[in-house]
Amino acid sequence: MLDKPGKASYDTPASFRVIVLLETLSKVLERVIASRLSLLARHTGLLHTHQTGSLPGLSTFDTTSTLTHEVRLLQRLGSKVSSLFLDIKGGFDNVDPGQLTSALRAKEVHKYLTAWVGSFLTDCMCRLLFQGSPRTFSLVAVGTPPGSPISPLLFVMYVSPLHPVIPKGIVVSYVDDFVVTVSSSTHRRNVQLLQGHYRSLCSSAALRGLTFSVPKNELIHWCTPQERSPPSTAGVRLDNLYFSPKDEVRWLGYWFTPSLSTSTHFSKRLSLAPGALDTIKRLSPP
């Protein structure tokens, strides 16, 4: 457990950074199983088609491109489009071994893989090392080991059911980052739809011991480049907290604006790289 620098107090777990130390030989085996399981996951229905992250050939670019494509597609149909960005709170720590292995058996995954996953997540022990800690081992009843090559894949399979079919909308996710997109005749109606879908997602997540980090929720109302009027100011109320629509949302390292303009993203990326703009100008043809 490493102290996060600059904290006023170290009385809470959030003031520390956890570095997980795992057996190297075990991690080699875990990577082999992860490779085999990832090949089966799509074919057996363990993963939703709108899930990315921790999967071969699928990156944050694929996720953000999917979101952009769906927004533009819905706009071409003449609808107003809105999105709610969500983040699962402590997702890896709450994976239930029983529910996950039941899902594997239901999809008729090979018995040896199902048994391996059950064994991997059962009877786990850990100990925390920091100044003054008792240095004794404790049983870990739920969760996947952070830092393990197979943990992200197991989590992605675990949250696959959190992708309901939304009429004139879509739910896209990258590991534990979700975005719910809806469309209707008005942005105000979209707010009502998002509230309903959020309650439904929270209920489904609760059945799996998961919750969403409410303070991290963000709302954006999309508009077309041709629209001169600003997007709606209608906000959404979730768990007694009110969220106003954003002019900019940073998601998976990309900056989104209501008009889906790329200039904001690239200007911010260039501002983070000293001398990048000068380099581009120097390399650009006259």
Side-chain angles (χ1 to χ4, degrees):
M1 304 288 291
L2 304 181
D3 302 353
K4 291 182 179 179
K7 294 292 183 179
S9 173
Y10 293 91
D11 297 331
T12 62
S15 301
F16 297 87
R17 179 173 290 108
V18 182
I19 305 298
V20 181
L21 304 180
L22 302 174
E23 293 288 347
T24 302
L25 290 179
S26 176
K27 293 175 70 173
V28 173
L29 174 59
E30 292 158 23
R31 184 168 293 279
V32 171
I33 297 296
S35 299
R36 295 184 178 181
L37 195 55
S38 63
L39 293 175
L40 293 172
R42 288 290 188 193
H43 300 294
T44 57
L46 282 167
L47 297 175
H48 196 275
T49 54
H50 297 149
Q51 281 185 288
T52 58
S54 307
L55 302 170
L58 293 175
S59 64
T60 57
F61 176 78
D62 298 286
T63 316
T64 55
S65 297
T66 299
L67 174 61
T68 302
H69 171 76
E70 292 296 330
V71 170
R72 289 301 191 210
L73 181 62
L74 292 169
Q75 287 178 333
R76 282 197 291 270
L77 298 176
S79 300
K80 300 294 185 181
V81 188
S82 304
S83 293
L84 180 64
F85 296 84
L86 307 171
D87 180 71
I88 293 180
K89 183 178 180 180
F92 282 36
D93 299 333
N94 295 290
V95 174
D96 183 86
Q99 291 197 45
L100 182 56
T101 52
S102 295
L104 295 177
R105 285 192 292 267
K107 297 297 183 179
E108 299 182 350
V109 175
H110 298 307
K111 291 184 178 179
Y112 83 93
L113 282 175
T114 303
W116 189 94
V117 171
S119 175
F120 176 69
L121 297 177
T122 305
D123 298 329
C124 297
M125 306 290 290
C126 78
R127 62 177 175 178
L128 304 180
L129 301 181
F130 58 93
Q131 185 176 0
S133 67
R135 296 177 181 264
T136 57
F137 282 95
S138 300
L139 179 67
V140 179
V142 295
T144 60
S148 169
I150 199 174
S151 289
L153 176 61
L154 295 180
F155 176 77
V156 169
M157 293 189 299
Y158 189 68
V159 299
S160 175
L162 301 183
H163 290 76
V165 177
I166 297 180
K168 298 183 179 180
I170 189 175
V171 176
V172 181
S173 70
Y174 184 90
V175 190
D176 57 351
D177 293 299
F178 281 66
V179 57
V180 184
T181 300
V182 298
S183 65
S184 68
S185 58
T186 64
H187 286 123
R188 192 166 295 277
R189 172 57 181 163
N190 288 346
V191 167
Q192 298 174 352
L193 294 173
L194 288 172
Q195 288 173 330
H197 290 308
Y198 177 77
R199 288 192 294 267
S200 178
L201 279 174
C202 286
S203 298
S204 298
L207 295 176
R208 293 163 179 79
L210 302 172
T211 58
F212 290 98
S213 182
V214 180
K216 294 183 179 181
N217 295 346
E218 292 184 292
L219 170 69
I220 191 169
H221 294 309
W222 307 103
C223 65
T224 64
Q226 293 76 25
E227 289 179 313
R228 296 183 180 276
S229 59
S232 171
T233 58
V236 62
R237 185 170 295 278
L238 308 171
D239 295 342
N240 296 323
L241 291 178
Y242 183 79
F243 297 89
S244 300
K246 298 277 189 166
D247 294 328
E248 294 178 1
V249 170
R250 185 176 186 270
W251 191 60
L252 303 181
Y254 293 83
W255 278 268
F256 290 95
T257 60
S259 63
L260 285 173
S261 170
T262 59
S263 59
T264 298
H265 169 73
F266 286 110
S267 64
K268 288 184 178 291
R269 295 297 297 178
L270 290 173
S271 66
L272 296 176
L277 187 58
D278 295 335
T279 301
I280 291 177
K281 291 180 178 179
R282 186 171 63 253
L283 296 177
S284 299

